[in-house]
C-alpha cells in the first residue's frame, strides 16, 4: 500500500510505503515510512495520527 504524504524531514511530498499493520481494539494500526529518509509515522484509523502537527 502507498500513501502520498508530506515528509517533514525531506520537506517535500513523497509516496510513503506501508511498513506494518496490526489490528487493535481502537482499529487498524498502520506504520508508514518515507522511502527517501526512512521517516516514519503511525496511524490508527481516524483516531490517532502521529504525523499531524499541533
Amino acid at each position: 500500500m502507498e500513501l502520498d504524504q508530506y515528509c517533514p524531514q525531506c520537506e517535500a511530498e513523497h509516496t510513503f510505503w506501508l511498513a506494518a499493520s496490526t489490528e487493535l481494539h481502537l482499529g487498524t494500526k498502520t506504520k508508514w515510512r518515507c522511502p527517501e529518509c526512512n521517516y516514519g509515522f503511525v496511524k490508527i484509523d481516524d483516531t490517532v495520527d502521529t504525523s499531524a502537527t499541533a
Side-chain angles (χ1 to χ4, degrees):
M1 291 180 57
E2 300 175 346
L3 175 70
D4 290 329
Q5 179 83 14
Y6 176 78
C7 178
Q9 286 188 348
C10 295
E11 297 182 346
E13 190 84 15
H14 288 288
T15 300
F16 280 63
W17 295 95
L18 181 64
S21 179
T22 304
E23 195 65 35
L24 304 173
H25 68 281
L26 294 173
T28 303
K29 175 183 175 183
T30 53
K31 293 182 180 180
W32 299 90
R33 293 275 178 214
C34 175
E36 299 296 319
C37 69
N38 208 30
Y39 168 79
F41 68 93
V42 174
K43 290 180 88 170
I44 302 175
D45 288 342
D46 294 327
T47 308
V48 177
D49 185 349
T50 62
S51 71
T53 57

Short mmCIF file of all heavy atoms in Angstrom, two decimals:
data_model
loop_
_atom_site.label_atom_id
_atom_site.label_comp_id
_atom_site.label_asym_id
_atom_site.label_seq_id
_atom_site.Cartn_x
_atom_site.Cartn_y
_atom_site.Cartn_z
N MET A 1 0.83 -1.18 0.00
CA MET A 1 0.00 0.00 0.00
C MET A 1 0.88 1.25 0.00
O MET A 1 2.00 1.22 0.49
CB MET A 1 -0.91 0.00 1.21
CG MET A 1 -2.00 -1.06 1.17
SD MET A 1 -3.08 -1.08 2.62
CE MET A 1 -3.71 0.55 2.66
N GLU A 2 0.35 2.30 -0.54
CA GLU A 2 1.06 3.57 -0.65
C GLU A 2 0.18 4.70 -0.12
O GLU A 2 -1.03 4.61 -0.14
CB GLU A 2 1.41 3.85 -2.11
CG GLU A 2 2.28 2.81 -2.75
CD GLU A 2 2.49 3.10 -4.23
OE1 GLU A 2 1.76 3.93 -4.79
OE2 GLU A 2 3.38 2.46 -4.81
N LEU A 3 0.85 5.78 0.33
CA LEU A 3 0.15 6.94 0.85
C LEU A 3 0.97 8.18 0.51
O LEU A 3 2.14 8.26 0.89
CB LEU A 3 -0.01 6.82 2.38
CG LEU A 3 -0.61 8.01 3.11
CD1 LEU A 3 -2.09 8.15 2.77
CD2 LEU A 3 -0.45 7.83 4.61
N ASP A 4 0.37 9.11 -0.22
CA ASP A 4 1.05 10.37 -0.53
C ASP A 4 0.95 11.26 0.70
O ASP A 4 -0.14 11.52 1.21
CB ASP A 4 0.43 11.05 -1.74
CG ASP A 4 0.71 10.29 -3.02
OD1 ASP A 4 1.78 9.65 -3.10
OD2 ASP A 4 -0.12 10.33 -3.93
N GLN A 5 2.11 11.72 1.19
CA GLN A 5 2.17 12.45 2.46
C GLN A 5 3.35 13.40 2.44
O GLN A 5 4.38 13.12 1.82
CB GLN A 5 2.34 11.43 3.61
CG GLN A 5 2.45 11.98 4.98
CD GLN A 5 1.10 12.29 5.60
OE1 GLN A 5 0.08 11.86 5.11
NE2 GLN A 5 1.11 13.03 6.67
N TYR A 6 3.22 14.52 3.13
CA TYR A 6 4.33 15.46 3.30
C TYR A 6 5.31 14.88 4.31
O TYR A 6 4.93 14.44 5.39
CB TYR A 6 3.81 16.81 3.79
CG TYR A 6 4.92 17.79 4.07
CD1 TYR A 6 5.57 18.46 3.04
CD2 TYR A 6 5.34 18.04 5.38
CE1 TYR A 6 6.60 19.35 3.30
CE2 TYR A 6 6.35 18.93 5.65
CZ TYR A 6 6.98 19.58 4.60
OH TYR A 6 8.00 20.46 4.86
N CYS A 7 6.59 14.87 3.97
CA CYS A 7 7.64 14.39 4.88
C CYS A 7 8.35 15.59 5.50
O CYS A 7 8.98 16.38 4.78
CB CYS A 7 8.65 13.53 4.12
SG CYS A 7 9.99 12.95 5.18
N PRO A 8 8.27 15.75 6.83
CA PRO A 8 8.90 16.90 7.47
C PRO A 8 10.43 16.85 7.45
O PRO A 8 11.08 17.89 7.51
CB PRO A 8 8.37 16.85 8.90
CG PRO A 8 7.94 15.46 9.12
CD PRO A 8 7.53 14.94 7.78
N GLN A 9 11.02 15.68 7.34
CA GLN A 9 12.49 15.60 7.28
C GLN A 9 13.01 15.95 5.89
O GLN A 9 14.02 16.63 5.75
CB GLN A 9 12.97 14.21 7.69
CG GLN A 9 12.85 13.98 9.18
CD GLN A 9 13.50 12.68 9.62
OE1 GLN A 9 13.85 11.82 8.81
NE2 GLN A 9 13.66 12.53 10.92
N CYS A 10 12.32 15.50 4.85
CA CYS A 10 12.71 15.82 3.47
C CYS A 10 12.18 17.18 3.05
O CYS A 10 12.66 17.75 2.07
CB CYS A 10 12.16 14.77 2.51
SG CYS A 10 12.81 13.11 2.73
N GLU A 11 11.18 17.66 3.76
CA GLU A 11 10.47 18.91 3.43
C GLU A 11 9.91 18.86 2.02
O GLU A 11 10.00 19.82 1.25
CB GLU A 11 11.37 20.12 3.64
CG GLU A 11 11.79 20.29 5.09
CD GLU A 11 12.65 21.53 5.32
OE1 GLU A 11 13.14 22.12 4.34
OE2 GLU A 11 12.80 21.89 6.50
N ALA A 12 9.31 17.71 1.67
CA ALA A 12 8.71 17.52 0.35
C ALA A 12 7.63 16.45 0.44
O ALA A 12 7.57 15.68 1.39
CB ALA A 12 9.78 17.09 -0.65
N GLU A 13 6.80 16.41 -0.57
CA GLU A 13 5.75 15.39 -0.69
C GLU A 13 6.38 14.11 -1.24
O GLU A 13 7.12 14.15 -2.22
CB GLU A 13 4.67 15.91 -1.62
CG GLU A 13 3.42 15.09 -1.64
CD GLU A 13 2.45 15.43 -0.53
OE1 GLU A 13 2.60 16.48 0.11
OE2 GLU A 13 1.56 14.61 -0.29
N HIS A 14 6.09 12.97 -0.59
CA HIS A 14 6.59 11.68 -1.05
C HIS A 14 5.50 10.63 -0.96
O HIS A 14 4.50 10.82 -0.27
CB HIS A 14 7.78 11.20 -0.19
CG HIS A 14 9.04 11.96 -0.42
ND1 HIS A 14 9.80 11.82 -1.55
CD2 HIS A 14 9.68 12.86 0.35
CE1 HIS A 14 10.85 12.62 -1.47
NE2 HIS A 14 10.79 13.27 -0.32
N THR A 15 5.72 9.52 -1.62
CA THR A 15 4.82 8.38 -1.51
C THR A 15 5.39 7.47 -0.42
O THR A 15 6.44 6.87 -0.59
CB THR A 15 4.74 7.62 -2.84
OG1 THR A 15 4.24 8.51 -3.84
CG2 THR A 15 3.79 6.43 -2.72
N PHE A 16 4.69 7.42 0.72
CA PHE A 16 5.11 6.59 1.84
C PHE A 16 4.66 5.16 1.60
O PHE A 16 3.64 4.91 0.96
CB PHE A 16 4.48 7.10 3.14
CG PHE A 16 5.18 8.30 3.74
CD1 PHE A 16 5.25 9.50 3.06
CD2 PHE A 16 5.76 8.21 4.99
CE1 PHE A 16 5.89 10.60 3.61
CE2 PHE A 16 6.40 9.29 5.55
CZ PHE A 16 6.46 10.48 4.86
N TRP A 17 5.44 4.22 2.14
CA TRP A 17 5.14 2.80 1.99
C TRP A 17 4.66 2.23 3.32
O TRP A 17 5.16 2.60 4.38
CB TRP A 17 6.38 2.04 1.53
CG TRP A 17 6.80 2.46 0.17
CD1 TRP A 17 7.73 3.40 -0.14
CD2 TRP A 17 6.27 2.00 -1.06
NE1 TRP A 17 7.83 3.55 -1.50
CE2 TRP A 17 6.93 2.70 -2.09
CE3 TRP A 17 5.30 1.07 -1.40
CZ2 TRP A 17 6.65 2.49 -3.43
CZ3 TRP A 17 5.03 0.88 -2.74
CH2 TRP A 17 5.71 1.57 -3.73
N LEU A 18 3.70 1.34 3.27
CA LEU A 18 3.19 0.66 4.46
C LEU A 18 4.27 -0.28 4.99
O LEU A 18 4.72 -1.18 4.28
CB LEU A 18 1.93 -0.12 4.12
CG LEU A 18 1.27 -0.85 5.27
CD1 LEU A 18 0.77 0.12 6.33
CD2 LEU A 18 0.11 -1.70 4.75
N ALA A 19 4.71 -0.05 6.24
CA ALA A 19 5.75 -0.87 6.84
C ALA A 19 5.18 -1.99 7.69
O ALA A 19 5.77 -3.06 7.81
CB ALA A 19 6.69 0.00 7.68
N ALA A 20 4.00 -1.74 8.32
CA ALA A 20 3.38 -2.75 9.18
C ALA A 20 1.92 -2.41 9.38
O ALA A 20 1.51 -1.26 9.26
CB ALA A 20 4.09 -2.81 10.53
N SER A 21 1.14 -3.43 9.73
CA SER A 21 -0.28 -3.25 10.00
C SER A 21 -0.70 -4.25 11.07
O SER A 21 -0.35 -5.42 10.99
CB SER A 21 -1.09 -3.47 8.72
OG SER A 21 -2.46 -3.33 8.98
N THR A 22 -1.42 -3.75 12.09
CA THR A 22 -1.86 -4.59 13.19
C THR A 22 -3.28 -4.20 13.57
O THR A 22 -3.62 -3.02 13.58
CB THR A 22 -0.96 -4.39 14.43
OG1 THR A 22 0.39 -4.65 14.06
CG2 THR A 22 -1.34 -5.32 15.57
N GLU A 23 -4.10 -5.18 13.91
CA GLU A 23 -5.46 -4.91 14.34
C GLU A 23 -5.49 -4.73 15.86
O GLU A 23 -4.98 -5.57 16.59
CB GLU A 23 -6.38 -6.08 13.94
CG GLU A 23 -7.84 -5.78 14.01
CD GLU A 23 -8.28 -4.72 13.00
OE1 GLU A 23 -7.73 -4.67 11.89
OE2 GLU A 23 -9.16 -3.93 13.37
N LEU A 24 -6.02 -3.58 16.32
CA LEU A 24 -6.14 -3.26 17.75
C LEU A 24 -7.60 -3.04 18.10
O LEU A 24 -8.45 -2.94 17.22
CB LEU A 24 -5.37 -1.97 18.07
CG LEU A 24 -3.90 -1.91 17.71
CD1 LEU A 24 -3.37 -0.51 17.95
CD2 LEU A 24 -3.13 -2.91 18.54
N HIS A 25 -7.88 -2.91 19.38
CA HIS A 25 -9.26 -2.63 19.80
C HIS A 25 -9.71 -1.24 19.35
O HIS A 25 -10.90 -0.97 19.23
CB HIS A 25 -9.42 -2.80 21.32
CG HIS A 25 -8.70 -1.78 22.13
ND1 HIS A 25 -7.35 -1.85 22.37
CD2 HIS A 25 -9.15 -0.66 22.73
CE1 HIS A 25 -6.99 -0.81 23.09
NE2 HIS A 25 -8.05 -0.07 23.33
N LEU A 26 -8.78 -0.32 19.07
CA LEU A 26 -9.10 1.02 18.58
C LEU A 26 -9.33 1.04 17.07
O LEU A 26 -9.90 1.98 16.54
CB LEU A 26 -7.96 1.99 18.90
CG LEU A 26 -7.71 2.28 20.37
CD1 LEU A 26 -6.46 3.13 20.53
CD2 LEU A 26 -8.90 3.00 20.97
N GLY A 27 -8.83 0.04 16.38
CA GLY A 27 -8.93 -0.02 14.92
C GLY A 27 -7.65 -0.60 14.34
O GLY A 27 -6.87 -1.23 15.04
N THR A 28 -7.41 -0.35 13.09
CA THR A 28 -6.21 -0.86 12.42
C THR A 28 -5.06 0.13 12.58
O THR A 28 -5.17 1.28 12.20
CB THR A 28 -6.49 -1.10 10.93
OG1 THR A 28 -7.58 -2.01 10.80
CG2 THR A 28 -5.27 -1.68 10.23
N LYS A 29 -3.96 -0.35 13.17
CA LYS A 29 -2.76 0.46 13.35
C LYS A 29 -1.84 0.21 12.16
O LYS A 29 -1.52 -0.93 11.84
CB LYS A 29 -2.04 0.05 14.64
CG LYS A 29 -0.72 0.74 14.86
CD LYS A 29 -0.06 0.21 16.13
CE LYS A 29 1.32 0.77 16.33
NZ LYS A 29 1.97 0.19 17.52
N THR A 30 -1.44 1.29 11.49
CA THR A 30 -0.54 1.17 10.35
C THR A 30 0.69 2.04 10.58
O THR A 30 0.60 3.13 11.12
CB THR A 30 -1.23 1.60 9.04
OG1 THR A 30 -1.79 2.90 9.20
CG2 THR A 30 -2.31 0.62 8.64
N LYS A 31 1.84 1.51 10.18
CA LYS A 31 3.10 2.25 10.26
C LYS A 31 3.55 2.55 8.83
O LYS A 31 3.59 1.66 7.99
CB LYS A 31 4.17 1.43 10.97
CG LYS A 31 3.89 1.19 12.43
CD LYS A 31 5.00 0.40 13.08
CE LYS A 31 4.72 0.15 14.55
NZ LYS A 31 5.79 -0.60 15.19
N TRP A 32 3.89 3.83 8.58
CA TRP A 32 4.27 4.29 7.26
C TRP A 32 5.70 4.81 7.27
O TRP A 32 6.13 5.39 8.25
CB TRP A 32 3.32 5.40 6.81
CG TRP A 32 1.91 4.94 6.73
CD1 TRP A 32 0.98 4.96 7.73
CD2 TRP A 32 1.27 4.34 5.61
NE1 TRP A 32 -0.20 4.42 7.29
CE2 TRP A 32 -0.06 4.04 5.99
CE3 TRP A 32 1.69 4.05 4.31
CZ2 TRP A 32 -0.95 3.45 5.11
CZ3 TRP A 32 0.78 3.46 3.44
CH2 TRP A 32 -0.53 3.17 3.84
N ARG A 33 6.44 4.59 6.19
CA ARG A 33 7.84 5.01 6.07
C ARG A 33 8.07 5.78 4.78
O ARG A 33 7.56 5.41 3.72
CB ARG A 33 8.78 3.81 6.06
CG ARG A 33 8.82 3.06 7.36
CD ARG A 33 9.80 3.69 8.28
NE ARG A 33 9.80 2.98 9.55
CZ ARG A 33 9.99 3.56 10.70
NH1 ARG A 33 10.22 4.85 10.76
NH2 ARG A 33 9.96 2.88 11.81
N CYS A 34 8.88 6.84 4.88
CA CYS A 34 9.32 7.58 3.71
C CYS A 34 10.47 6.81 3.05
O CYS A 34 11.43 6.44 3.73
CB CYS A 34 9.81 8.98 4.13
SG CYS A 34 10.50 9.95 2.78
N PRO A 35 10.40 6.55 1.75
CA PRO A 35 11.46 5.79 1.09
C PRO A 35 12.76 6.58 0.95
O PRO A 35 13.82 5.99 0.76
CB PRO A 35 10.87 5.47 -0.28
CG PRO A 35 9.88 6.56 -0.53
CD PRO A 35 9.32 6.92 0.83
N GLU A 36 12.71 7.90 1.06
CA GLU A 36 13.90 8.73 0.88
C GLU A 36 14.75 8.81 2.15
O GLU A 36 15.96 8.71 2.10
CB GLU A 36 13.49 10.14 0.45
CG GLU A 36 12.75 10.18 -0.87
CD GLU A 36 13.59 9.71 -2.04
OE1 GLU A 36 14.78 10.06 -2.09
OE2 GLU A 36 13.06 8.97 -2.90
N CYS A 37 14.11 9.02 3.31
CA CYS A 37 14.87 9.28 4.55
C CYS A 37 14.53 8.32 5.69
O CYS A 37 15.11 8.41 6.76
CB CYS A 37 14.64 10.72 5.01
SG CYS A 37 12.96 11.01 5.61
N ASN A 38 13.56 7.44 5.48
CA ASN A 38 13.11 6.46 6.48
C ASN A 38 12.32 7.09 7.63
O ASN A 38 12.14 6.46 8.66
CB ASN A 38 14.29 5.64 7.01
CG ASN A 38 13.84 4.26 7.46
OD1 ASN A 38 12.89 3.71 6.91
ND2 ASN A 38 14.51 3.71 8.45
N TYR A 39 11.86 8.35 7.48
CA TYR A 39 10.97 8.96 8.47
C TYR A 39 9.70 8.12 8.55
O TYR A 39 9.18 7.66 7.53
CB TYR A 39 10.62 10.39 8.07
CG TYR A 39 9.50 11.01 8.87
CD1 TYR A 39 9.73 11.52 10.13
CD2 TYR A 39 8.21 11.06 8.36
CE1 TYR A 39 8.70 12.08 10.88
CE2 TYR A 39 7.18 11.62 9.09
CZ TYR A 39 7.43 12.13 10.35
OH TYR A 39 6.41 12.68 11.08
N GLY A 40 9.20 7.89 9.75
CA GLY A 40 8.01 7.08 9.90
C GLY A 40 6.97 7.72 10.80
O GLY A 40 7.29 8.57 11.62
N PHE A 41 5.73 7.32 10.61
CA PHE A 41 4.64 7.74 11.48
C PHE A 41 3.61 6.64 11.58
O PHE A 41 3.62 5.69 10.80
CB PHE A 41 4.01 9.07 11.00
CG PHE A 41 3.27 8.97 9.69
CD1 PHE A 41 1.91 8.72 9.67
CD2 PHE A 41 3.93 9.15 8.50
CE1 PHE A 41 1.22 8.64 8.48
CE2 PHE A 41 3.25 9.08 7.30
CZ PHE A 41 1.89 8.82 7.28
N VAL A 42 2.73 6.75 12.58
CA VAL A 42 1.73 5.74 12.88
C VAL A 42 0.34 6.34 12.74
O VAL A 42 0.11 7.48 13.12
CB VAL A 42 1.92 5.19 14.31
CG1 VAL A 42 0.80 4.24 14.69
CG2 VAL A 42 3.25 4.51 14.45
N LYS A 43 -0.58 5.55 12.19
CA LYS A 43 -1.98 5.94 12.14
C LYS A 43 -2.81 4.80 12.73
O LYS A 43 -2.51 3.63 12.49
CB LYS A 43 -2.44 6.18 10.70
CG LYS A 43 -1.85 7.42 10.07
CD LYS A 43 -2.35 7.61 8.66
CE LYS A 43 -3.63 8.40 8.72
NZ LYS A 43 -4.09 8.87 7.41
N ILE A 44 -3.82 5.14 13.51
CA ILE A 44 -4.81 4.17 13.97
C ILE A 44 -6.16 4.69 13.51
O ILE A 44 -6.71 5.63 14.09
CB ILE A 44 -4.79 3.99 15.49
CG1 ILE A 44 -3.41 3.55 15.96
CG2 ILE A 44 -5.85 2.97 15.92
CD1 ILE A 44 -3.26 3.46 17.47
N ASP A 45 -6.66 4.09 12.43
CA ASP A 45 -7.88 4.56 11.77
C ASP A 45 -7.89 6.08 11.72
O ASP A 45 -6.92 6.68 11.32
CB ASP A 45 -9.11 3.98 12.44
CG ASP A 45 -9.28 2.48 12.15
OD1 ASP A 45 -8.67 1.99 11.18
OD2 ASP A 45 -10.03 1.82 12.88
N ASP A 46 -8.98 6.71 12.10
CA ASP A 46 -9.05 8.18 12.13
C ASP A 46 -8.85 8.72 13.54
O ASP A 46 -9.01 9.91 13.78
CB ASP A 46 -10.40 8.64 11.58
CG ASP A 46 -10.56 8.32 10.10
OD1 ASP A 46 -9.55 8.33 9.40
OD2 ASP A 46 -11.70 8.05 9.68
N THR A 47 -8.48 7.85 14.49
CA THR A 47 -8.36 8.23 15.89
C THR A 47 -7.00 8.83 16.20
O THR A 47 -6.90 9.86 16.87
CB THR A 47 -8.57 7.00 16.80
OG1 THR A 47 -9.80 6.38 16.43
CG2 THR A 47 -8.61 7.39 18.26
N VAL A 48 -5.92 8.21 15.73
CA VAL A 48 -4.55 8.63 16.04
C VAL A 48 -3.77 8.82 14.74
O VAL A 48 -3.87 7.99 13.84
CB VAL A 48 -3.83 7.57 16.91
CG1 VAL A 48 -2.39 7.97 17.17
CG2 VAL A 48 -4.58 7.36 18.21
N ASP A 49 -3.00 9.92 14.67
CA ASP A 49 -2.14 10.18 13.53
C ASP A 49 -0.91 10.92 14.05
O ASP A 49 -0.97 12.10 14.36
CB ASP A 49 -2.87 11.01 12.48
CG ASP A 49 -2.05 11.21 11.21
OD1 ASP A 49 -0.84 10.90 11.21
OD2 ASP A 49 -2.63 11.70 10.24
N THR A 50 0.22 10.22 14.16
CA THR A 50 1.43 10.84 14.74
C THR A 50 2.12 11.76 13.74
O THR A 50 3.07 12.45 14.13
CB THR A 50 2.43 9.78 15.24
OG1 THR A 50 2.86 8.97 14.15
CG2 THR A 50 1.83 8.92 16.33
N SER A 51 1.66 11.81 12.49
CA SER A 51 2.25 12.75 11.53
C SER A 51 1.62 14.13 11.66
O SER A 51 2.17 15.10 11.17
CB SER A 51 2.07 12.25 10.10
OG SER A 51 0.72 12.35 9.70
N ALA A 52 0.47 14.24 12.32
CA ALA A 52 -0.23 15.51 12.45
C ALA A 52 0.52 16.42 13.43
O ALA A 52 1.05 15.97 14.43
CB ALA A 52 -1.64 15.30 12.96
N THR A 53 0.58 17.69 13.10
CA THR A 53 1.23 18.66 13.97
C THR A 53 0.18 19.45 14.71
O THR A 53 -0.91 19.71 14.21
CB THR A 53 2.12 19.62 13.17
OG1 THR A 53 1.34 20.27 12.19
CG2 THR A 53 3.28 18.89 12.52
N ALA A 54 0.51 19.87 15.92
CA ALA A 54 -0.45 20.61 16.75
C ALA A 54 -0.52 22.06 16.36
O ALA A 54 0.32 22.63 15.78
CB ALA A 54 -0.06 20.50 18.21
#
